[in-house]
Amino acid sequence: MTHNERMKYLVDKLNEYRHLYYNCNDPVVSDEVYDRMYDELKALEKETDIVYSNSPTSTVGWKPVSELKQIHHPIPLLSLDKQKNIDEIIKFIKKADSSLMYKLDGLTVRLDYENGELVAAGTRGDGEVGEDITHNIPAFLNVPLKISHKDRLSVSGEAFIFRDKFDEMNKLLPDEKKYKGPRNLAAGTVRAFEPRLCRERGVNFYAFNVLEGFEGITSKLERLDMLEELGFSVCRRMMLKKDIDAKQLEDLFDEMKAEAERAKFPIDGMVIQYDDVAFSKSLGHTGHHYRDGYAYKYEDDLYETTLREIIWNTSRSGMLAPVAVFDAVEIEGSITHATLHNVTYIKQLQLNIGDRILISKRNMIIPAVEGNLDMHTGTISFPEYCPSCGAKTQIRITVDSDGKKTERLYCTNKNCGSAELKQLIHYADKDSMDIEGLSEGTLGKLKNAGFLSDIADLYNLSEHHDEIVKMDGFGEQSYQKMIDSIEKSR
């Protein structure tokens, strides 16, 4: 047993004994045994220069806050592209040495250390700006507050709650207050103002990447090994050989998934990444994800809500794009709108106003209507006239190369092209209000998402903050720049 393993064992045992003694009036060891174990732990902490957040020797207090301040990420905390095609993943692996790792289902968190001490912690947020949760870290169960590494170190990982702990807490709640899954409970707890909730609900942190530090080590897996030596819990991982085939990879997925279920880890997929740090950096990233890996996700979580309205927006091509408006659901922020794509999609779901529908955030990015719990109550009628110019509409059918037919609704006025959009473009133009950040493309995206129908809606865009910052091409900074420019135009 290593020093770190011995320390974790002593911390767990001493906390168990303290609980039985103070809370259950049931001492199971003598004071002499307890003191000897306590002294051994203190000696090991001094020798290794590691102190865990749940160590009984720690005197760090839990100080609540009244608000969460912003924290900026010098290195963007982006996600990975999603991939469910095994053959594509095999092609990816053949290019360079790769690793396979659990995709833990919690909240991504960054921890910063200076001179061996934790100095800051933040959530991922939009990748560039997150929320400062430094006050909550001492209440996590397994974070080293002190480490022997004295140079700057920045670590990213997942804050989560084990499934058995989640089930234990959730079954005590009434049906209307139950959480959908461990991720929802963890996300709310990690961002709570009161740190004691993190301890009571058993929040853990498992590292999966070194953002800054260990520059002399070129392998990501070796960097994670170094983190383990410093006392961090690290995500389950293994090296993948380039010659692995699809069947072997699927077997590995099944094997690791079964391991996670036995150990009660909340996972929603696997992560495949290139191992070489320099090679990964050379691949760069998009505004949303890094190009050095894939997330193989099992499925997206579904949330029940009620359909209240369908808005039809006329695009520049004359097609009427349907947008569902529903009671707000919380999926990494509040969501009230989702595209319905086309007429065929609405018919397949048999949507009617007032139906109970299922919403997901596909790949945790794009809101989508996934199902209808009240099918067969009838399908809504489609608008006979264009909401933009008043001309008649017609359904047009296209057939793809596989023979699949898709129905879409169009305005019959060839000169329409959405008069509303043209009006918005003219209003924001340099020769008019000169609103920076409102290009024709941006206005089109906002309109098709259901956020804009006239000029007045420009001044209410802040109501849709959570949804807009997650849209392609947006982020917290670009969103704020746009809002500031709109406000200036008042």
Side-chain angles (χ1 to χ4, degrees), residues 175-315:
D175 289 343
E176 66 274 11
K177 291 189 176 181
K178 288 187 186 299
Y179 289 88
K180 298 286 185 183
R183 185 184 189 284
N184 302 83
L185 180 59
T189 305
V190 169
R191 295 154 59 208
F193 295 161
E194 178 56 68
R196 66 175 175 79
L197 292 176
C198 291
R199 180 58 57 89
E200 291 172 359
R201 295 174 180 177
V203 176
N204 282 264
F205 173 87
Y206 273 60
F208 55 62
N209 191 28
V210 175
L211 298 168
E212 294 181 70
F214 304 155
E215 276 75 15
I217 300 175
T218 60
S219 161
K220 293 179 186 176
L221 288 176
E222 289 180 17
R223 288 184 174 190
L224 293 177
D225 291 342
M226 284 290 294
L227 287 183
E228 273 192 327
E229 291 181 19
L230 291 174
F232 290 89
S233 297
V234 178
C235 198
R236 171 79 165 89
R237 64 220 181 267
M238 68 171 62
M239 180 68 81
L240 291 176
K241 296 180 179 179
K242 291 182 187 179
D243 61 354
I244 192 171
D245 60 33
K247 176 64 168 59
Q248 291 171 324
L249 184 61
E250 286 181 321
D251 288 345
L252 272 179
F253 283 169
D254 292 341
E255 179 185 322
M256 289 185 67
K257 185 177 182 180
E259 286 179 7
E261 288 174 354
R262 286 193 296 270
K264 307 302 181 184
F265 280 103
I267 68 169
D268 62 347
M270 298 290 162
V271 171
I272 301 93
Q273 269 189 307
Y274 291 132
D275 185 55
D276 185 83
V277 174
F279 181 60
S280 287
K281 286 183 178 179
S282 72
L283 298 176
H285 57 80
T286 69
H288 165 254
H289 62 264
Y290 287 105
R291 293 193 176 99
D292 68 336
Y294 280 126
Y296 181 85
K297 258 198 114 179
Y298 297 134
E299 59 188 25
D300 295 305
D301 293 328
L302 299 178
Y303 298 79
E304 182 181 329
T305 185
T306 302
L307 179 66
R308 297 301 180 189
E309 183 184 2
I310 293 180
I311 298 172
W312 295 83
N313 292 312
T314 312
S315 67

Side-chain angles (χ1 to χ4, degrees), residues 50-69:
I50 296 172
V51 178
Y52 288 105
S53 51
N54 62 335
S55 171
T57 70
S58 176
T59 57
V60 177
W62 302 343
K63 297 179 181 178
V65 297
S66 58
E67 63 176 346
L68 297 183
K69 297 178 181 178

Side-chain angles (χ1 to χ4, degrees), residues 18 26 60 64 73 107 172 189 213 218 235 272 296 335 338 353 389 391 408 430 435 441 448 460 463-464 479:
R18 284 204 307 177
D26 182 25
V60 177
H73 303 306
L107 194 70
L172 299 176
T189 305
T218 60
C235 198
I272 301 93
Y296 181 85
I335 298 172
I353 304 304
C389 71
R408 295 180 175 86
K430 283 186 177 182
I435 303 178
N448 289 335
N460 296 313
E463 296 176 4
H464 308 290
Y479 163 84

Side-chain angles (χ1 to χ4, degrees), residues 16 122-123 189 223 246 249 375 380 410 424 457 478:
E16 177 187 340
T123 64
T189 305
R223 288 184 174 190
L249 184 61
M375 295 177 77
I380 65 161
Y410 282 85
L424 288 166
D457 288 339
S478 56

Side-chain angles (χ1 to χ4, degrees), residues 129-143:
V129 179
E131 293 168 313
D132 190 329
I133 57 163
T134 310
H135 67 290
N136 275 333
I137 303 303
F140 279 34
L141 290 184
N142 65 331
V143 174

